[in-house]
Amino acid sequence: SVVKVPGTKTLYSVGVDGYIKEIEQGKEKHKIDAGTPLSQIVMTKNQKALFVGTAEKDSPGCVQIYKISFERI
């Protein structure tokens, strides 16, 4: 799953590899290991936080919240 920051060339992506990636102008800028497979990502309207859904097999998912600076809240 991917979300684009409006008005910029920055993307955030997640996947089953368990990483949240910040991609700017086609190059990976930051990468954080969430410690679990990830499925969905959504950015808050004020662009200060990311909501990330987990995707563990045979387990109910949960939502993790990260500040854009990649601090887990």
Side-chain angles (χ1 to χ4, degrees), residues 1-72:
S1 181
V2 176
V3 66
K4 182 182 182 303
V5 180
T8 71
K9 294 183 180 182
T10 301
L11 305 170
Y12 291 92
S13 71
V14 297
V16 294
D17 62 357
Y19 286 96
I20 304 169
K21 299 172 187 170
E22 180 181 26
I23 302 164
E24 191 173 287
Q25 296 187 7
K27 296 182 181 175
E28 191 175 289
K29 186 176 175 184
H30 291 101
K31 182 175 174 179
I32 185 169
D33 186 357
T36 187
L38 304 171
S39 62
Q40 299 293 318
I41 186 168
V42 179
M43 181 180 291
T44 58
K45 188 175 180 178
N46 66 7
Q47 303 172 11
K48 293 186 178 185
L50 300 168
F51 287 74
V52 179
T54 64
E56 293 185 65
K57 185 177 179 180
D58 299 326
S59 178
C62 72
V63 175
Q64 298 177 350
I65 305 169
Y66 293 84
K67 287 183 180 179
I68 293 295
S69 63
F70 284 126
E71 293 177 44
R72 189 179 295 183

